[in-house]
Amino acid sequence: MQEQAAKPKPDNDRSEGEHYLGKFRRYPVEFFVIFLPTPPGTPAQYRVDCDDGVGPHEVCRLGEDPGEPVVWRGAWQGDQWCRWILKNARELVANPSRFDF
């Protein structure tokens, strides 16, 4: 009997320790806010992913402190939606959704 090769994980599989805080939408894109695991004693970090129909991909990373710089990925850097995305992401960080886990 021949052994089967391990199947690759789907793109939407998340690393252990990551937690969904919720999602928000701006048609046709759905955005997800994810808490990232950090070492004890370090500030909390979050990632915003989006899915515009081609699968999830990273939009930005932000810290707990609103004064920390946000790291935008790729074409999102300077996008007209950045301010809106950040506002909604910070709202979910402050008050995670109970329905979108």
Side-chain angles (χ1 to χ4, degrees):
M1 183 185 222
Q2 187 177 16
E3 267 187 61
Q4 291 183 340
K7 293 181 182 178
K9 289 184 175 183
D11 287 339
N12 59 356
D13 269 8
R14 302 293 179 216
S15 297
E16 192 171 320
E18 291 185 357
H19 300 285
Y20 285 95
L21 299 182
K23 62 185 175 182
F24 52 96
R25 181 180 199 74
R26 188 168 188 172
Y27 188 79
V29 184
E30 194 164 53
F31 296 89
F32 307 90
V33 179
I34 300 150
F35 169 81
L36 302 172
T38 56
T42 61
Q45 294 288 309
Y46 305 90
R47 184 179 72 232
V48 177
D49 286 353
C50 76
D51 189 344
D52 55 3
V54 297
H57 52 276
E58 187 171 323
V59 172
C60 68
R61 289 186 184 233
L62 58 138
E64 197 168 31
D65 179 4
E68 278 184 59
V70 177
V71 179
W72 296 94
R73 302 290 182 210
W76 288 105
Q77 180 69 41
D79 187 270
Q80 63 183 356
W81 287 9
C82 287
R83 186 176 293 187
W84 178 85
I85 292 167
L86 192 56
K87 175 187 169 287
N88 283 279
R90 293 231 182 262
E91 285 177 11
L92 279 173
V93 165
N95 188 21
S97 172
R98 294 179 184 212
F99 306 105
D100 293 329
F101 286 97

